[in-house]
């Protein structure tokens, strides 16, 4: 396995179409465009079915990167994994995180232990009636294994975050399935986002041995005791297959970054956030201790949020699921985003909604990446 | 000054019209209905102009208390101060906090130092064109002083939370002013809520000496360097005057409760929340220390939240003010509610939106009440 | 069959808790409170799961009518059928329509032909798992027959509007079913409103012979070719049974009102609205003819609206079903309300959302009541 | 004056980034890309401050047209006037209307009378503090005159629709003005859209002699008796100047299209819509007469909608201005869109929100373009 140099760059954006920050870093030489493997972004749409800020951001990035890579915008979209999570409710701040990877001859002298590594893979295209069901689970599991190999990670314990981009159903897609005599898991576009996210997360759980592999169609969005502690899945209208990005630590990496994670057991699990930060050597300052240890700084936090499906948090009723004005994913991102931002000291964090089978019901995974210097 | 026994009861509700919890406590004898002075509630509406859950909750409480007090519902509404803050976004959980006060012969043996005290007063009715302007500021300041007296508090340093209920403008009220040849501060109902909250908060600041008294009309919603650290103001359609409730600690109180506060400098100021909890002897457990000291327990937290008017939090852009789908007050309550709930370990906290001149711009006051046992 | 005198009174409201208009008419003698059989209202909530304006309006009406009827508010709610439809989007104007019925000795001399008649009935309470399924269909059909008898109507052709109030699922109700080992038709509260409305409408269709009675559970919200042309169903959180109100014309009625209907085949079916108006002798004036014939005036229009489930209107895409910010029922009420208001010349009309199996897919029934003088 | 051949093409879109319909017509030769003068579109965003579908649609169109025109995307944006109006509430269907113009040697034999003509002009960039004030009014008036000349129209009576694209304020722009010591008309981005639309419309009214030219800053959004009957203005974040497009009929045109207009006096003014259709020889069929006269067909309707600022329609209360969940512009587009779609028989019409000073308060202009064949 060759040694990889993995970079992570967090860049604030002024709008979904803003590529100026990334372009400036390419022009200055800070980022080599040919090394860009994946871009995870938070855009300021509603995060729902009709959130066009995601595809707009991808279109803008592809158009801007195309001349830098000597490719067409469409070829850029095939080459780089773009995962845009819509919804920057509350204090969340729109930004992109750019992951780069390049080969290096050998590890620099000062680096020891496992360091941040990244790998990617993708599934075949799904048919609409496969979304939210066992076919999506099984294909995703295969892709997770492939992405681990790509990352130079053999042991599931070294996997700390698996980001997946997955499809959703539109009226058109539901019709197409019906025309072939097949029923989809749901006829609602909005609900289909949950089904697709859930099945994709279960695919991660299968791949990492977090659950057994005999999950049935009816377990999806029902058996919430089945989940992955590191899966983060986002559905979007622009694709019909799953794109899998594995983030973990590997001895094949010469990165100056490290990743760790914890699991929030519910939406107000502050200790889990603290634990995720501590897993990469960062302390939370609550008015007493300074926030950063010498030689370490926070790059970003990646978390999933959801309204607990039983309608309560620690025994007390929440109203997120019964609000016809604001979707529960927006509520959940705002609340969990507020907590994480408070503990991390910044709203420029990646909190994504819809944590079905990603962490326990009502909770979700939370990963942190730190830079060592 | 007679000695007062002040009680605080936090009661979860199943809906805006649910009075069953309070009624059960009255039936059981835990609460003497004649001692009820004020009720602060969080209801699950949108917190905006057309949030009818507030008046519905008040109507339900008045109808239920009327036979217990031998009064008509209307007389109950005149006797008790009901402040319903709409909006339980994210993890916030609908509830009411009931404040009682009765005279006792003398302080029990075990009580020393200052204890929770409560006082009330109200202004005259305002004309629509006075809302958000100096008349509302001056009248509110007078009422704060009266409420301090009523609470047995002489020193502003002992005031930890001043809750005010204030009017808003409707199309009808704007028209009425126009018909008399007067312009209101704004013609938008939604904006008028901010003006009324802001002027009311400045009235508190004047009364407590936090600012000088020569505030001009044009300073309201402009000079955000002028603010009170303990004001919490909510506007509602159902009244045309301000109702002022002062909460503080007093040697005239024989309460088993204590109140303290801190000021959030921005919406992600976790240390301020910790500080407010510590001010009443409570520790925050972040996975390490247990949350509660022996002999103390949290009753409730009262905080105000807002989207910082400059569009950013610690230098990074937020999107709350430019979201046409969700009002910024809903965003802010969800985010600050998520942070406070995480640190307090419960979503049953009082976080109210619209913190104009209540704490610094983008921040807000946060008070905590603990019970000693 | 005794002769009935049926009255219809449309009263504008200033808010969901406003009962002043009705009270004034009772005080003036225009309405005898003991004759009130049903109240159909449009309230200004979101019409969704968390629309508390409906129950608030009912609570306010019951409290106000109680002393007039010598009953408790709870007894008033049992005696009179209150159907509050939430959502006055666009130009729709909040109001209530009060239906009265009393016996008269015989028909006055001037009245001939069939006149407005009203009848009521209700089903037993449903279990959560029965909602949206055949049990709800069959029980509703029985109640429709009973209500027709009550109205003195034998022939289905004389039935012009059947208003039903039906339950919805809450998290709590879904849990209760699950605890007994039963799955509900859906776990989403919002979706359950559609299931309950749909099954109730199919119950009307069965009763009136519009469809055969062998409808299966899986036909609900799938077989949109099955529908009633006169059903209008609204789901609310406050009950667990169906309340059925039949409106038609009968020779046993001595009313000065007449009702007729048409069916909108889609949401922009202007000719159907015109046809409904003509069915009770009213002409639409489009700048040319005067709107009213001599001796006739419009009292109210009752219509159902929905986003066509195939995502298009006359071949062109609509975006109502894929909008995560505004529920499709709000979109549909606003649009159909705009059309009907334009043709009727007033926004004080009853347009209710969610027309599943009420008229063809994307369309809905539209009834008109005229007064003859 | 040379003779112009003006074309109008209405093209449905599948999403804000969909350019396939236009591209197909270019490829087939139906549209010559070099003749495109302006594109008016309805996109499916919220039509508010954070509606990014508008800029996304423009970006997609510019990127697609660039190779066809041998220009960069940025140059395309300078060359063609793109006006995207966000918001396809209710039955409104996303689409673009493409206007082309090219010179022809002389009028074809069969054409007589005045035919559709189009002209364009633009103002200088505005400073933030000029928006919504007299500077914007005066500059707009100048540009309207220039655009009339460009269209070959001398008499204001021949002007039937003036579409203007105008700026709005962002937090950043407000700050910039404040930094120079200047106050903007409002500090709210959402409100600034209304100010900018209003002042732009008054500029049209000045140019066409509909009002006198001595309008003061304080008349904007106050003196609703001042308005233009043909102005349609949309504000967007992407520009700081006004772009003016004049549509009318001219003898210099050899177009097969004709334009006419009427003025809706309120949001339910059905006769005005009928009148606009009749002005270009189209009949409305309400179940009786066929809709189209021989030799004429509807191309598109262009209308503006707003919630009447006095809170009522024909004496009855609407709730659009007091809804904190849905902005009044969305309500108004949905309602007026429903009415126009019903009368026109299609939801593919251009109804844009925010009709300040565009038609009387609560109403708005409505123009129709027909093709003669």
């Amino acid at each position: 396995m060759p040694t990889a140099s993995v970079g992570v760059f967090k860049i604030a954006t002024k709008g979904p179409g803003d590529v100026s920050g990334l372009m400036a870093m390419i022009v200055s030489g800070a980022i080599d465009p040919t090394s860009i493997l994946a871009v995870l972004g938070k855009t300021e749409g509603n995060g729902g079915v009709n959130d066009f800020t995601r595809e707009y951001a991808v279109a803008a990035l592809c158009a801007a990167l195309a001349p830098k890579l000597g490719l067409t915008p469409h070829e850029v979209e095939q080459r780089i994994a773009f995962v845009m999570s819509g919804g920057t409710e509350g204090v969340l701040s729109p930004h992109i995180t750019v992951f780069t990877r390049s080969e290096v001859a050998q590890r620099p002298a000062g680096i020891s232990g496992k360091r941040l590594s990244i790998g990617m893979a993708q599934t075949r295209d799904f048919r609409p009636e496969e979304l939210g069901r066992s076919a999506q689970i099984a294909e995703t599991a295969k892709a997770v294994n492939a992405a681990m190999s790509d990352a130079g990670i053999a042991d599931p314990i070294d996997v700390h975050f698996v980001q997946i981009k997955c499809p959703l159903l539109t009226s058109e897609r539901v019709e197409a399935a019906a025309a072939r005599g097949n029923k989809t898991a749901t006829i609602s576009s909005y609900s289909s986002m949950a089904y697709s996210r859930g099945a994709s997360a279960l695919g991660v759980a299968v791949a990492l041995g977090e659950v057994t592999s005999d999950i049935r169609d009816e377990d999806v969005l029902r058996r919430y005791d089945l989940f992955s502690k590191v899966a983060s899945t986002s559905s979007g209208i622009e694709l019909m297959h799953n794109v899998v990005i594995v983030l973990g630590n590997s001895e094949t990496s010469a990165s100056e970054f490290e990743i760790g994670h914890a699991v929030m057991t519910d939406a107000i699990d502050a200790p889990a956030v603290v634990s995720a930060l501590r897993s990469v050597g960062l302390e939370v300052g609550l008015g007493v201790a300074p926030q950063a240890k010498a030689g370490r700084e926070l790059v970003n936090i990646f978390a999933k949020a959801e309204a607990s499906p039983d309608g309560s948090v620690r025994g007390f009723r929440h109203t997120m699921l019964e609000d016809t004005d604001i979707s529960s994913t927006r509520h959940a991102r705002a609340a969990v985003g507020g907590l994480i931002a408070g503990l991390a000291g910044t709203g420029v964090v990646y909190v994504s909604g819809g944590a079905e089978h990603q962490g326990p019901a009502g909770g979700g995974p939370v990963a942190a990446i730190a830079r060592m210097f």
Side-chain angles (χ1 to χ4, degrees), chain A residues 18-254:
Chain A
D18 176 32
V19 298
S20 62
L22 174 58
M23 287 304 106
M25 292 184 81
I26 288 175
V27 168
S28 76
I31 293 178
D32 171 4
T34 66
S35 71
I36 300 175
L37 201 67
V39 178
L40 266 68
K42 284 300 309 176
T43 60
E44 56 205 284
N46 62 26
V49 179
N50 63 330
D51 182 350
F52 299 100
T53 62
R54 293 179 302 227
E55 60 175 88
Y56 178 27
V58 172
L61 286 166
C62 290
L65 287 169
K68 304 292 181 186
L69 292 167
L71 300 173
T72 66
H74 182 71
E75 288 165 344
V76 175
E77 196 167 353
Q78 300 304 307
R79 175 193 172 113
I80 298 173
F82 295 95
V83 181
M84 295 295 151
S85 162
T88 55
E89 292 81 7
V91 295
L92 294 173
S93 187
H95 71 281
I96 55 172
T97 305
V98 178
F99 292 90
T100 61
R101 186 174 72 177
S102 53
E103 280 190 29
V104 289
Q106 56 175 58
R107 281 190 146 196
I111 289 185
S112 64
K114 292 173 179 172
R115 293 299 180 90
L116 179 67
S117 183
I118 181 169
M120 281 176 44
Q122 52 188 51
T123 68
R124 62 167 171 81
D125 273 10
F126 295 112
R127 290 192 301 277
E129 60 269 32
E130 289 180 325
L131 292 186
R133 291 174 173 156
S134 51
Q136 193 178 19
I137 298 173
E139 292 299 317
T140 302
K142 280 199 281 182
V144 171
N145 286 325
M148 284 175 64
S149 289
D150 186 46
I153 297 176
D155 189 342
I157 207 170
D158 286 326
V159 175
H160 293 284
F161 202 68
V162 180
Q163 176 63 48
I164 291 179
K165 190 181 171 183
C166 55
L168 55 81
L169 292 174
T170 58
S171 306
E172 217 166 61
R173 291 168 186 174
V174 171
E175 294 288 317
R180 289 194 311 274
N182 294 320
K183 270 197 213 172
T184 51
T186 174
I187 57 169
S188 148
S189 295
Y190 185 74
S191 299
S192 78
M193 301 175 79
Y195 274 99
S196 182
R197 286 188 301 249
S200 299
L202 288 169
V204 177
V206 167
L208 300 182
E210 298 177 286
V211 301
T212 58
S213 59
D214 56 344
I215 299 174
R216 296 161 309 161
D217 285 1
E218 57 265 42
D219 296 336
V220 179
L221 302 193
R222 295 265 176 180
R223 287 277 312 276
Y224 285 120
D225 56 310
L226 306 174
F227 60 84
S228 167
K229 291 181 176 175
V230 295
S232 164
T233 63
S234 289
S235 54
I237 203 170
E238 69 276 19
L239 77 178
M240 276 308 289
H241 64 285
N242 277 18
V243 176
V244 175
I245 305 169
V246 163
L247 291 169
N249 296 319
S250 166
E251 289 190 346
T252 66
S253 168

Side-chain angles (χ1 to χ4, degrees), chain A residues 243-305:
Chain A
V243 176
V244 175
I245 305 169
V246 163
L247 291 169
N249 296 319
S250 166
E251 289 190 346
T252 66
S253 168
S255 173
E256 59 181 328
F257 301 92
E258 191 186 3
I259 187 169
H261 83 279
V263 181
M264 295 177 75
T265 57
D266 60 25
I268 60 175
D269 189 357
V273 180
V274 173
S275 174
L277 289 166
R278 285 182 181 157
S279 75
V280 290
L282 299 171
E283 275 306 318
V284 174
L286 292 178
V288 186
Q291 185 173 335
K293 270 194 200 166
R296 298 255 174 176
E297 69 177 11
L298 177 66
V299 178
N300 208 345
I301 289 181
F302 299 87
K304 290 294 289 190

